[in-house]
Amino acid sequence: MSSRANPSAQAALHRAMADPALRAVGRVSQTESRYALPTFLWATGSGTPSRRSSGASARRVIRPTADAARAHMSRVAPFYRLNATDIREATVRRVHDTGRGGTIASMSQVIDGVEVFRDGMNVLMDRNQELVAVSGYLPSRDLLGRGAARSFRLSASEATAKALEDFTGLGVGAGLVRAVSGGRGGYQALEVASAIPGLVLSQPLRAKRVWFHLPELLVPAYYVEVLGDDDSYAYVIGAADGEVLFRKDLVVSDSFTYRVWADGAAPNIPWDGPQGTAPSPHPTGSPNLYNPPFVAPNLVTLQNGPISTNDPWLAPGATQTLGNNVDAYADLFSPDGFSGSDFRASTTAPGTFDRAYDTSLSPSASSTQRMASVTQLFFTNNFLHDWFYDAGFDEASGNAQAANFGRGGIENDRLRAEAQDYGGTNNANMSTPADGGAPRMQMYVFNRPIANVTVTAPGAIAGSYLAGTASFGPQTFSVSGVVVAAVDGSAPSGDACSPLINNVIGKIVLIDRSNCGYVTQVLNAQAAGAIGAIIVDSFNHGTAPGMTGSGTVSIPVVSLTQAQGNTIKAQLGGGVTATIARSTSVSRDGTIDNMIVSHEWGHYISNRLVGNGGGLSTQHSGGMGEGWGDFHALLLTARAGDNFNGVYPIGSYALTNSTGPMNAYYYGIRRYPYSTNMTKNPLTFQHIQNGVPLPVGPPVASGSDGTANAEVHRTGEVWCAMLWECYAALLNDSGRLPFAVAQQRMTDYLVASYKMTPNAPTFTEARDALLAAAAANDPADLAAFWAAFAKRGAGTGAISPDRNTLDNVPVVESYTVGGDLAVTDVSFDPALFSCDGDGYLDNGDVVERVAIRRDRAGAGATLGERGPERREIGGI
């Protein structure tokens, strides 16, 4: 069976899109070619800056939101090949209505009491119930087979055993898994009857029946979650033969350092970190190695954050950081989760958690230090829970709470926030199972070294230069000597890519960076008798490069920027003496960097609201997940009175000093800082594609050749830059919108856009979701957002690459705004989607597997989908 919709389905969509009567109702802007179904449809007249104000509608009777949504679904049904029964029996999964802006009815398909996995249709209406847009799709029940084709031949236990076989790589007999009582929300609880080597579960197994949407039919299957000590995966297992139809890594890894400070007055917004709020935006807007002083934290008294329900974080008389929304603790020892010698922060007096974190000491200096860290992690996660609740991330929408107070959703899934986790360093991650499974945030300690080149003579250049470090050679050292330039026997003579011909015995050698590899350069200096090496960068990147490689290097090595190296080179004729040194700085606790915490929390909300844990399953959408995470950090750090056209970095506290000359308060963890100033951040839509070099101009921390632009964090930079342009447009419109109003609107729009974003989204689909949220509320905001996207190349004519691409190629940019778009022709080319015989599409460390099932005759194949298997270590 083909991996794409059959020709009749393609033809039906083509006819619908060309039908003048239907085009008067809506216009399809995005499609899913596997099913020949729209993923985003604009109501005719919506989605452009010319849309009339929703307040201009004549008076009309306001119906229940679900009834209004079904009426609109009936009008657009031919686009989706839905019949009257499909629409009548569609289930209302949730209704988004904050009392302001648009309302969204999110519909799912339940057939014979079994839901269709992940598929959903979101109907956005303005306050007068006029249709604005539709995102996602529902499959017609006509796709369901008959008789044996729709029977669940395997049990939940057998399907879970198949998932465990994939998870562990071991043979797991069905008899090893058994059903137990305690399932909630339609799930069957399960347990392993006897130990499986290497399997350590952090939460109980659970499974439920689903229908899985293949291109031409719905098949019976089980959704299964395996939440392990280190790895966590969601599966869909075919109920006919145990085939793995879907697999998604639930862990999103990033490199962060967390610690919490906050405003002393309501709403008690957390600060960036120990540096307070003054460094954001950057005071000068230039990469000048600015390093701010730390400020004292506030003692804040409150019951809850900015939430209309006033639900308290802790019960009366509580003595530790274990509340309804968050369980925060120091996870210092295996196994994962709260166990053994792990501990939560305890009260220092009744109702008080009063411990000050000492930034001059290591994160593990004492239990007091660790409990201060845990307290801040508890505070920040609870604040974020409350801040986004009234924007629509409530119980029915799948937020994480132990008790849901009868407001919908599945209970007993409070967020587990793990401070100073034993499992790693220089990193952090967020795991987000579907509603009812507890999300887990793991924060690590950062312990990177500091290196310096201290010139002692001549006096004209004497001083200390921050240097870059190497992963090879000695890791701590202090060596002094005369500095000489390398001279080898081939051009260019200063890069030490061949044996040295000048006398460097007992001296420190200054070497130009080259393409032959750092280890080769240093080994040639070492063989010639040098006592140390300094690598000088070949481009003005603004920061000294980090050096990687492997080899038997025994002499110390550091790096300098091109400008620093040129300063020293100019004085070599008069004799230069210097000391190169590397030491380990005081480690920093990722737990207390609020921008990193909010980035991780951004993964949680985006994964819950887009596909309930399974929606961001491709390389393309995973990149947007990283961008959404960054944008949540920017939402937290932007303050009234800021220069919103300035420079905003992410994760500065975690990086400063712990990684040498990072220019952390300018770049943060990204190649460019976030800014509306194109000379500071010139990224546009095209820069998500592998092989597109970054613009020449501002120095960039790394990756200037663009070879890895499709890597999720780098793709995310582009998406966040677009979102920041949208938010800055609201913030800069101070004559119309006060800061607090603009902040609230952006929060509302963001949550509504998550709910309108279809599964496995492309950039333009997610763009349309945000535009639709604005269109339902204020035409001025819609116009501002269109201009913001167009500025970054995602205007009305922009075209995203295929959602399943691994290199994000090709992108069509558009810098124009306005006018209605109409699709006049649709073509489908199966040759554009293929895989080699082993069923894998391979691109470095990202592998997407397509599960293929052939019938006994060997003719045809049914293709499911399998999300990218990726583990990102270091670097958010």
Side-chain angles (χ1 to χ4, degrees):
M1 194 170 292
S2 171
S3 66
R4 300 217 170 185
N6 62 37
S8 64
Q10 298 171 11
L13 177 60
H14 195 177
R15 286 194 301 271
M17 293 168 65
D19 186 332
L22 289 174
R23 289 173 63 180
V25 175
R27 52 190 174 84
V28 173
S29 64
Q30 313 290 333
T31 63
E32 170 54 86
S33 58
R34 289 179 302 165
Y35 309 127
L37 290 173
T39 57
F40 212 97
L41 177 147
W42 287 97
T44 300
S46 299
T48 65
S50 62
R51 175 174 166 82
R52 60 175 172 79
S53 171
S54 59
S57 297
R59 290 185 179 181
R60 58 179 300 172
V61 176
I62 301 298
R63 296 170 290 179
T65 301
D67 292 345
R70 284 193 172 91
H72 291 308
M73 290 170 64
S74 296
R75 296 170 62 213
V76 301
F79 289 109
Y80 301 89
R81 302 189 298 282
L82 296 175
N83 57 47
T85 303
D86 294 326
I87 296 170
R88 183 178 63 252
E89 298 187 6
T91 300
V92 180
R93 186 170 67 240
R94 65 189 177 217
V95 172
H96 171 87
D97 186 355
T98 63
R100 55 187 180 267
T103 60
I104 302 172
S106 296
M107 316 296 287
S108 59
Q109 193 75 290
V110 178
I111 305 173
D112 297 341
V114 178
E115 68 178 281
V116 176
F117 172 70
R118 200 177 61 169
D119 289 355
M121 178 177 284
N122 309 295
V123 182
L124 174 63
M125 296 163 283
D126 63 20
R127 300 308 297 176
N128 294 304
Q129 295 188 339
E130 297 285 353
L131 180 64
V132 176
V134 178
S135 71
Y137 46 80
L138 292 180
S140 174
R141 60 191 60 231
D142 292 342
L143 294 179
L144 194 62
R146 299 288 184 267
R150 63 190 296 172
S151 65
F152 288 79
R153 298 177 184 174
L154 300 185
S155 67
S157 297
E158 292 170 322
T160 302
K162 292 291 186 181
L164 288 173
E165 286 184 353
D166 187 275
F167 185 81
T168 63
L170 303 173
V172 179
L176 282 181
V177 181
R178 62 192 177 198
V180 296
S181 60
R184 297 171 291 111
Y187 285 91
Q188 171 67 61
L190 305 114
E191 67 179 11
V192 178
S194 59
I196 298 175
L199 177 66
V200 180
L201 297 174
S202 63
Q203 294 188 56
L205 296 163
R206 63 176 184 163
K208 68 176 179 181
R209 290 184 171 190
V210 296
W211 303 113
F212 187 78
H213 191 179
L214 292 173
E216 296 181 31
L217 72 162
L218 292 169
V219 296
Y222 288 90
Y223 173 79
V224 182
E225 286 179 350
V226 182
L227 307 179
D229 188 18
D230 294 316
D231 296 322
S232 297
Y233 284 88
Y235 293 91
V236 176
I237 304 295
D241 54 10
E243 181 182 13
V244 177
L245 299 175
F246 175 88
R247 182 180 195 265
K248 181 178 185 292
D249 188 347
L250 299 175
V251 178
V252 180
S253 298
D254 302 294
S255 178
F256 295 65
T257 301
Y258 285 82
R259 185 246 177 113
V260 166
W261 275 251
D263 290 338
N268 307 112
I269 298 177
W271 297 342
D272 299 355
Q275 71 271 31
T277 62
S280 297
H282 191 283
T284 67
S286 61
N288 59 1
L289 297 176
Y290 164 75
N291 200 22
F294 296 143
V295 296
N298 279 323
L299 191 61
V300 176
T301 302
L302 49 70
Q303 172 184 278
N304 53 264
I307 183 173
S308 61
T309 61
N310 290 317
D311 296 332
W313 293 354
L314 290 170
T319 59
Q320 56 183 341
T321 50
L322 174 61
N324 192 52
N325 311 322
V326 180
D327 181 9
Y329 50 90
D331 191 15
L332 306 178
F333 304 99
S334 180
D336 176 58
F338 186 79
S339 62
S341 298
D342 299 336
F343 53 84
R344 301 179 177 95
S346 60
T347 53
T348 55
T352 303
F353 298 85
D354 188 9
R355 295 179 178 88
Y357 189 99
D358 188 340
T359 55
S360 68
L361 302 177
S362 74
S364 60
S366 65
S367 61
T368 295
Q369 186 88 322
R370 281 173 159 157
M371 285 193 183
S373 175
V374 170
T375 299
Q376 201 60 47
L377 185 62
F378 180 78
F379 182 97
T380 301
N381 275 285
N382 271 292
F383 175 86
L384 291 168
H385 169 280
D386 289 4
W387 199 23
F388 283 87
Y389 185 95
D390 288 327
F393 190 35
D394 53 14
E395 296 90 350
S397 298
N399 74 355
Q401 295 180 182
N404 283 1
F405 311 113
R407 300 171 189 155
I410 306 177
E411 299 183 328
N412 293 323
D413 63 347
R414 67 165 66 89
L415 190 150
R416 296 187 295 143
E418 299 178 345
Q420 299 185 18
D421 194 272
Y422 71 90
T425 58
N426 305 321
N427 203 355
N429 66 59
M430 186 80 216
S431 301
T432 310
D435 188 21
R440 181 194 63 188
M441 178 185 290
Q442 289 183 309
M443 307 307 306
Y444 299 116
V445 170
F446 284 68
N447 55 12
R448 297 181 182 178
I450 294 177
N452 299 86
V453 175
T454 303
V455 176
T456 52
I461 61 169
S464 183
Y465 300 77
L466 285 169
T469 59
S471 63
F472 53 87
Q475 299 298 289
T476 58
F477 50 81
S478 180
V479 174
S480 302
V482 175
V483 180
V484 297
V487 180
D488 60 31
S490 59
S493 62
D495 62 7
C497 286
S498 58
L500 302 188
I501 59 175
N502 63 320
N503 180 15
V504 299
I505 297 174
K507 299 174 182 177
I508 298 171
V509 182
L510 198 69
I511 303 171
D512 292 332
R513 184 178 180 180
S514 188
N515 293 324
C516 64
Y518 295 116
V519 170
T520 297
Q521 294 175 289
V522 178
L523 285 176
N524 281 329
Q526 178 178 301
I531 60 173
I534 302 172
I535 306 292
V536 177
D537 202 359
S538 54
F539 296 96
N540 184 24
H541 288 143
T543 58
M547 298 171 286
T548 59
S550 60
T552 55
V553 174
S554 59
I555 64 173
V557 56
V558 296
S559 65
L560 291 176
T561 67
Q562 184 183 60
Q564 292 167 334
N566 288 343
T567 298
I568 294 174
K569 286 180 183 179
Q571 299 294 323
L572 289 178
V576 174
T577 58
T579 298
I580 58 174
R582 175 174 172 175
S583 62
T584 301
S585 64
V586 174
S587 298
R588 293 194 170 183
D589 185 0
T591 312
I592 61 176
D593 188 318
N594 276 328
M595 299 190 76
I596 294 176
V597 172
S598 55
H599 172 102
E600 295 297 342
W601 197 90
H603 282 303
Y604 150 58
I605 186 175
S606 61
N607 274 290
R608 270 285 164 91
L609 292 182
V610 183
N612 194 20
L616 303 182
S617 55
T618 62
Q619 179 82 359
H620 191 146
S621 60
M624 285 186 290
E626 295 297 336
W628 273 314
D630 277 6
F631 186 64
H632 276 271
L634 293 175
L635 273 173
L636 192 74
T637 195
R639 302 287 176 123
D642 281 359
N643 171 17
F644 301 117
N645 299 317
V647 164
Y648 286 86
I650 302 291
S652 302
Y653 168 77
L655 299 180
T656 303
N657 295 333
S658 63
T659 51
M662 282 292 294
N663 262 317
Y665 287 92
Y666 182 84
Y667 290 112
I669 54 177
R670 299 300 179 219
R671 294 174 294 175
Y672 296 99
Y674 289 113
S675 178
T676 62
N677 186 333
M678 298 295 284
T679 68
K680 305 295 184 182
N681 185 321
L683 295 174
T684 63
F685 195 11
Q686 67 172 323
H687 297 118
I688 73 170
Q689 301 173 104
N690 280 350
V692 177
L694 301 189
V696 176
V700 60
S702 63
S704 60
D705 60 2
T707 55
N709 284 340
E711 189 273 330
V712 290
H713 300 97
R714 292 180 175 184
T715 294
E717 291 179 67
V718 179
W719 181 237
C720 183
M722 293 177 180
L723 296 177
W724 178 246
E725 291 284 355
C726 292
Y727 188 28
L730 298 184
L731 294 172
N732 284 322
D733 196 358
S734 57
R736 185 173 67 96
L737 300 176
F739 175 83
V741 174
Q743 184 185 61
Q744 181 64 64
R745 284 196 182 188
M746 194 67 220
T747 305
D748 289 349
Y749 291 154
L750 183 62
V751 174
S753 74
Y754 284 142
K755 293 181 179 181
M756 282 297 292
T757 298
N759 293 306
T762 64
F763 262 57
T764 45
E765 288 170 345
R767 176 205 65 188
D768 285 358
L770 183 59
L771 292 171
N777 184 60
D778 190 324
D781 294 350
L782 172 64
F785 283 9
W786 262 122
F789 279 114
K791 178 180 175 181
R792 297 284 173 174
T796 53
I799 301 175
S800 295
D802 183 88
R803 73 188 72 253
N804 295 303
T805 182
L806 296 180
D807 58 8
N808 290 345
V809 175
V811 165
V812 176
E813 289 194 321
S814 169
Y815 294 87
T816 61
V817 174
D820 287 344
L821 287 177
V823 178
T824 58
D825 185 49
V826 179
S827 61
F828 300 85
D829 183 0
L832 298 178
F833 183 83
S834 62
C835 60
D836 55 20
D838 64 7
Y840 284 80
L841 305 175
D842 197 343
N843 182 22
D845 64 347
V846 178
V847 178
E848 181 164 291
R849 184 179 187 275
V850 181
I852 301 177
R853 175 163 56 93
R854 298 186 182 274
D855 61 24
R856 292 184 178 180
T862 298
L863 278 75
E865 62 174 303
R866 182 164 179 159
E869 304 173 12
R870 61 175 177 268
R871 170 76 56 178
E872 295 122 9
I873 303 299
I876 52 175

